[in-house]
């Protein structure tokens, strides 16, 4: 039997739940998931350590999780049964409590703060998310020495509660099209900020509607009669004493969205708002007292916060998909349905090859994205370290990589979450499964911080010059060799096809811009293939770091499944580029089926290795103990509708 350890408090809680369950439920349902765990061929705990980055990190993560889970202040009512206003109020209350708890426990490391927040918010969002994720990071990276000394203490003490106001009502991903202006007045040494049109109103920033009293505002800088493009400004929005909007600031909540019910996404209209000259973030670009503009060493430095968030989103794609796979795979081991052979008991739906084909490639993708997220975190910190030393050479490559992988991972993760929901049948549609919440709160990543199609085109713009070098790299020498090599060659051929398409358009005597636009489908296709190749490459590189035989074996199976699934999904590309024949694609299909069968005994153990406790999943279907149906019934009975009587029907029932 495989060794599988969990925190003791979770074990005791699970035992108490099982002890209270009806005898037939315990006998018929609960043992199924533990039996699945006995089939594993690898040590789950060792794989968890790899995902966390080491034994000590796993230990510390669990300690932090236990602080939240055992805290009575965070035992709140199910958000699914609250109105939007109630959810927002609850989120603000919990965010404030969280900050006080972090101070009490002395948790200051950014990774540990992120871990604590991940547990306390579950599958929802916190009220102060943009303060932590965008306002503070922008201050850290773009304030000069004097600004840092003034603003960082205010932000870290939450006297200055901030958001990041970039997107406008009429412009989003096309940053050069933003219309908000910041015009410098040398006579008074202030910037005058304006929203000159209806489309220039800032729209969507989280925390803007009610919570924040400051914002980093992206605006077109005008000085000495010239426009110098987008720059970042610290703009007070509300009084730090009364929280009332300041003169010239028109601000409010934009209303309900498709998810994010706890977040006050807002609008901001600026009407001749005057801020001091030193409220422009001036670590790199600056405006002198007389209005002279000093340009930054790299124009992309203004967008550093976006690159940071895009890098984070890649990791979030892995986490969201891992949670969804955990729920769907555990439920698939509990649920019995139909017959494979007439007259025999209903099998687990995970025994159906079609169910495996839905879920196991997504499981492989979740692992791939987890490792890519680790890589992006390392690359971001390395390159930002170089930037702090004055080396900006790798910033364009980081911008391209974060843009492409952000688009690639969020597209596939969003689709994968929905597949997991449908794989759970009708019960996946219930919010008690948590899958609807995971979906509606993750899918906006396809548009925020850069609309995905535009991100893919930016990737192609930045990477095409390096493609000959990149895809000429030698292949790895293990079971992924053929698929890895074919993937790299396929990208190279697709880039060639896109380049030929542009050349053909130029021969028609159209402009370069029109030639690019008329070839955009080919460019996105090549960028998508490039990102798939990068993920396969990083997955393969991760395997080289793993010494445990059992873990290496199961991860190699996942890696090969991920690579071959990509080839099968894009078989037309491989046929068009002449890299694979129809018989070879048939062999790919057969090998895929074999890999599904190999992974079947390890499926539950592989999602267990993600180590999401029940409180983090908040899913009845994905319960660790597998006791699904009894708890679905209990959850449904808590619905507020069950506490009131029906109204308005009496007139229909009256006699004529």
């Amino acid at each position: 039997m495989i060794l599988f350890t969990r925190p003791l408090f979770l074990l005791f809680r699970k035992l108490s739940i099982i002890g209270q369950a009806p005898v037939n439920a315990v006998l018929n349902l609960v043992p199924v998931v533990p039996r699945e765990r006995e089939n594993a061929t690898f040590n789950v705990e060792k794989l968890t350590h790899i995902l966390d980055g080491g034994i000590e990190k796993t230990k510390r993560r669990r300690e932090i999780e236990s602080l939240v889970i055992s805290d009575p202040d965070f035992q709140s009512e199910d958000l699914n049964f609250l109105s939007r206003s109630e959810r927002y109020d609850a989120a603000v209350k919990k965010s404030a409590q969280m900050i006080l708890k972090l101070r009490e426990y002395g948790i200051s490391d950014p990774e540990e703060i992120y871990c604590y927040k991940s547990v306390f918010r579950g599958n929802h969002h916190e009220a102060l998310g943009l303060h932590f994720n965008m306002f503070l990071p922008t201050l850290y990276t773009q304030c000069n020495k004097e600004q840092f000394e003034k603003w960082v203490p205010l932000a870290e003490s939450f006297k200055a509660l901030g958001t990041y106001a970039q997107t406008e009502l009429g412009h989003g991903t096309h940053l050069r099209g933003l219309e908000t202006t910041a015009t410098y007045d040398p006579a008074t040494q202030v910037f005058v900020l304006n929203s000159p049109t209806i489309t220039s109103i800032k729209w969507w920033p989280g925390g803007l509607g009610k919570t924040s009293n400051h914002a980093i505002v992206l605006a077109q800088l005008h000085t000495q009669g010239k426009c110098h493009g987008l720059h970042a400004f610290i703009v007070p929005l509300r009084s730090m004493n009364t929280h009332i909007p300041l003169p010239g600031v028109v601000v409010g909540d934009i209303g309900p969205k498709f998810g994010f019910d706890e977040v006050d996404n807002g609008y901001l209209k600026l009407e001749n708002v005057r801020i001091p000259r030193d409220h422009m973030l001036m670590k790199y670009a600056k405006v002198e007292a007389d209005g002279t503009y000093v340009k930054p060493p790299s124009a992309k430095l203004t967008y550093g916060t976006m690159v940071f968030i895009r890098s984070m989103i890649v990791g979030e794609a892995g986490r969201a998909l891992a949670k969804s796979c955990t729920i769907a795979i555990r439920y698939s081991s509990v649920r019995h349905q139909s017959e494979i052979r007439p007259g025999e008991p209903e099998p687990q739906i995970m025994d159906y090859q079609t169910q495996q084909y839905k879920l196991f490639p997504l499981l492989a993708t979740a692992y791939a994205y987890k490792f890519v997220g680790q890589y992006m975190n390392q690359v971001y910190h390395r390159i930002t370290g170089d930037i702090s030393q004055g080396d900006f050479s790798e910033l364009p490559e980081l911008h391209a990589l974060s843009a492409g992988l952000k688009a690639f991972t969020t597209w596939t993760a969003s689709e994968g979450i929905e597949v997991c929901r449908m794989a759970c049948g009708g019960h996946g549609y219930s919010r008690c499964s948590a899958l609807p919440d995971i979906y509606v709160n993750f899918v906006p990543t396809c548009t925020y911080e850069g609309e995905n199609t535009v991100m893919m085109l930016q990737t192609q713009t930045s990477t095409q010059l390096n493609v000959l070098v990149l895809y000429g790299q030698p292949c790895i020498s293990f079971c992924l060799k053929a698929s890895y090599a074919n993937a790299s060659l396929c990208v190279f051929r697709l880039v060639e096809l896109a380049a030929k398409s542009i050349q053909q358009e130029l021969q028609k005597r159209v402009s370069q811009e029109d030639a690019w636009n008329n070839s955009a489908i080919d460019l996105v296709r090549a960028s998508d293939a490039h990102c798939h190749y990068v993920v396969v490459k990083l997955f393969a590189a991760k395997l080289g770091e793993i010494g445990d035989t059992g873990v290496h074996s199961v991860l190699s199976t996942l890696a090969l499944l991920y690579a071959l699934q990509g080839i099968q999904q894009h078989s037309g590309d491989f046929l068009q580029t002449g890299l694979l024949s129809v018989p070879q694609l048939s062999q790919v299909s057969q090998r895929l089926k074999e890999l599904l069968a190999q992974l079947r005994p390890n499926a539950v153990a592989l999602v267990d290795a993600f180590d999401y406790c029940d409180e983090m999943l908040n899913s009845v279907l994905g319960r660790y103990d597998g006791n699904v149906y009894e708890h679905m019934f209990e959850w449904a009975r808590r619905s507020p509708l069950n506490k009131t009587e029906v109204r308005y029907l009496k007139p229909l029932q009256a006699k004529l």
Side-chain angles (χ1 to χ4, degrees):
M1 180 184 296
I2 184 171
L3 173 66
F4 189 89
T5 61
R6 302 283 288 183
L8 283 178
F9 73 92
L10 281 178
L11 178 60
F12 292 147
R13 179 177 56 76
K14 290 175 180 27
L15 289 175
S16 65
I17 290 172
I18 294 173
Q20 296 168 9
V23 174
N24 63 334
V26 174
L27 291 177
N28 295 332
L29 298 178
V30 178
V32 176
V33 177
R35 282 203 306 271
E36 288 285 339
R37 295 186 173 109
E38 294 175 6
N39 298 326
T41 62
F42 67 98
N43 188 303
V44 174
E45 193 75 356
K46 288 184 178 180
L47 181 49
T48 299
H49 297 158
I50 291 169
L51 291 169
D52 285 332
I55 296 175
E56 290 304 315
K57 287 194 174 183
T58 297
K59 180 181 177 181
R60 180 57 178 158
R61 173 181 58 77
R62 288 173 175 168
E63 289 174 353
I64 293 171
E65 289 175 359
S66 68
L67 289 175
V68 183
I69 294 168
S70 60
D71 193 328
D73 288 339
F74 294 135
Q75 310 305 311
S76 59
E77 186 177 354
D78 192 325
L79 293 180
N80 289 308
F81 297 136
L82 301 181
S83 68
R84 179 170 180 247
S85 294
E86 290 170 333
R87 290 174 76 148
Y88 169 72
D89 286 343
V92 174
K93 178 182 178 181
K94 287 180 68 176
S95 292
Q97 288 175 326
M98 176 201 71
I99 292 163
L100 296 175
K101 301 284 184 182
L102 289 171
R103 291 175 180 170
E104 177 185 343
Y105 298 133
I107 298 174
S108 57
D109 179 80
E111 288 189 12
E112 293 191 354
I113 291 173
Y114 183 84
C115 175
Y116 191 98
K117 290 166 58 180
S118 296
V119 186
F120 107 92
R121 73 173 185 246
N123 298 322
H124 303 283
H125 288 273
E126 60 173 305
L128 305 180
L130 261 70
H131 178 85
F132 283 104
N133 297 334
M134 299 196 78
F135 187 71
L136 270 169
T138 303
L139 296 180
Y140 291 148
T141 58
Q142 297 195 37
C143 283
N144 62 24
K145 185 176 182 296
E146 294 77 16
Q147 292 172 326
F148 193 97
E149 291 174 351
K150 174 183 178 179
W151 288 105
V152 169
L154 287 171
E156 290 183 339
S157 65
F158 302 96
K159 292 181 177 65
L161 278 169
T163 185
Y164 191 87
Q166 174 176 290
T167 300
E168 296 175 356
L169 190 56
H171 294 90
T173 304
H174 180 55
L175 299 182
R176 290 193 300 274
L178 296 178
E179 301 176 75
T180 302
T181 59
T183 304
Y184 183 66
D185 177 10
T188 57
Q189 294 194 20
V190 300
F191 288 100
V192 183
L193 278 85
N194 268 301
S195 305
T197 64
I198 188 69
T199 51
S200 69
I201 296 172
K202 296 295 182 182
W203 202 270
W204 283 114
L208 175 62
K210 292 171 68 76
T211 310
S212 300
N213 56 27
H214 285 74
I216 302 292
V217 174
L218 272 290
Q220 301 286 355
L221 168 63
H222 292 261
T223 182
Q224 296 181 339
K226 294 182 180 179
C227 178
H228 295 280
L230 282 183
H231 289 72
F233 301 84
I234 303 173
V235 181
L237 305 177
R238 296 177 170 94
S239 166
M240 285 196 285
N241 296 320
T242 66
H243 209 68
I244 295 173
L246 297 171
V249 175
V250 181
V251 64
D253 179 79
I254 65 171
K257 295 89 56 182
F258 184 59
F260 277 67
D261 290 329
E262 306 81 33
V263 180
D264 56 325
N265 296 82
Y267 59 79
L268 173 64
K269 188 174 188 291
L270 299 168
E271 299 175 339
N272 295 313
V273 174
R274 303 172 73 85
I275 60 172
R277 181 176 67 91
D278 64 3
H279 278 38
M280 172 184 168
L281 292 175
M282 293 194 189
K283 183 173 183 178
Y284 300 110
K286 65 177 65 175
V287 172
E288 305 286 7
D290 64 356
T292 301
Y293 175 71
V294 180
K295 68 179 183 178
S298 171
K300 294 188 183 297
L301 286 167
T302 305
Y303 312 136
T305 304
M306 288 187 300
V307 173
F308 167 66
I309 294 298
R310 288 169 188 165
S311 299
M312 280 186 60
I313 288 172
V314 174
E316 282 298 321
R319 282 181 281 272
L321 193 53
K323 283 185 174 183
S324 302
C325 288
T326 299
I327 294 166
I329 286 175
R330 284 181 180 168
Y331 178 67
S332 294
S333 69
V334 170
R335 182 73 171 186
H336 291 68
Q337 188 158 306
S338 303
E339 298 175 341
I340 293 179
R341 287 175 287 274
E344 293 189 1
E346 293 184 325
Q348 297 161 273
I349 59 175
M350 200 156 63
D351 286 335
Y352 288 98
Q353 189 183 69
T354 51
Q355 189 78 348
Q356 297 169 16
Y357 186 67
K358 291 175 187 175
L359 297 178
F360 292 178
L362 293 177
L363 177 60
T365 303
Y367 269 92
Y369 290 179
K370 283 269 192 176
F371 296 139
V372 173
Q374 291 176 355
Y375 172 80
M376 287 299 298
N377 185 53
Q378 294 166 1
V379 169
Y380 176 80
H381 284 98
R382 176 176 58 79
I383 294 179
T384 51
D386 293 342
I387 291 171
S388 67
Q389 300 299 316
D391 180 1
F392 307 101
S393 60
E394 291 192 78
L395 183 57
E397 188 64 28
L398 175 61
H399 171 75
L401 186 65
S402 63
L405 289 177
K406 178 265 183 188
F408 181 76
T409 58
T410 56
W411 263 335
T412 53
S414 296
E415 294 169 359
I417 296 165
E418 176 65 357
V419 170
C420 287
R421 184 193 68 77
M422 291 189 291
C424 292
H427 292 329
Y429 189 68
S430 170
R431 291 178 77 162
C432 80
S433 73
L435 291 166
D437 285 323
I438 295 173
Y439 181 79
V440 299
N441 287 303
F442 181 78
V443 74
T445 59
C446 293
T447 47
Y448 69 60
E449 301 314 315
E451 193 278 328
N452 277 358
T453 301
V454 178
M455 292 297 95
M456 280 296 193
L457 289 170
Q458 288 187 12
T459 306
Q460 187 56 228
T461 303
S462 301
T463 60
Q464 62 177 340
L465 296 178
N466 297 323
V467 74
L468 285 171
V469 176
L470 179 61
Y471 302 119
Q473 300 290 331
C475 299
I476 52 178
S477 56
F478 66 104
C479 64
L480 277 170
K481 180 176 180 180
S483 56
Y484 180 74
N486 280 325
S488 64
L489 288 171
C490 185
V491 180
F492 176 63
R493 299 276 177 85
L494 288 175
V495 172
E496 276 190 325
L497 290 173
K500 288 179 180 177
S501 174
I502 294 173
Q503 290 298 323
Q504 289 170 357
E505 291 294 323
L506 289 173
Q507 289 172 6
K508 299 176 184 177
R509 299 178 183 247
V510 302
S511 67
Q512 286 190 345
E513 294 78 10
D514 286 338
W516 184 267
N517 181 50
N518 294 341
S519 305
I521 294 174
D522 299 316
L523 291 167
V524 170
R525 184 177 164 204
S527 294
D528 185 81
H530 165 71
C531 290
H532 179 259
Y533 162 78
V534 169
V535 175
V536 172
K537 180 181 179 182
L538 293 175
F539 204 157
K542 189 68 180 182
L543 292 177
E545 303 173 10
I546 298 168
D548 183 88
T549 303
V551 174
H552 188 280
S553 176
V554 74
L555 285 181
S556 295
T557 303
L558 285 172
L560 186 56
L561 177 62
Y562 177 79
L564 294 181
Q565 174 77 352
I567 291 174
Q568 187 177 70
Q569 287 180 328
H570 300 90
S571 57
D573 292 340
F574 286 88
L575 288 171
Q576 182 180 359
T577 54
L579 292 171
L580 291 177
S581 64
V582 173
Q584 287 174 321
L585 287 174
S586 297
Q587 292 174 6
V588 168
S589 179
Q590 182 58 39
R591 186 73 178 107
L592 270 173
K593 295 175 184 177
E594 294 169 0
L595 293 173
L596 297 178
Q598 289 177 26
L599 286 171
R600 171 64 184 87
N602 285 313
V604 168
L606 281 166
V607 298
D608 283 348
F610 293 134
D611 208 26
Y612 291 119
C613 58
D614 287 347
E615 290 79 2
M616 292 183 69
L617 283 180
N618 196 28
S619 170
V620 176
L621 300 191
R623 291 177 58 86
Y624 182 80
D625 62 14
N627 193 3
V628 170
Y629 298 119
E630 178 187 62
H631 287 87
M632 282 189 71
F633 185 47
E634 291 176 0
W635 184 87
R637 294 181 71 180
R638 294 202 303 270
S639 171
L641 281 179
N642 294 322
K643 299 177 183 178
T644 59
E645 297 299 325
V646 67
R647 301 166 62 187
Y648 309 118
L649 293 181
K650 286 295 182 183
L652 294 177
Q653 298 167 342
K655 294 182 179 179
L656 295 176

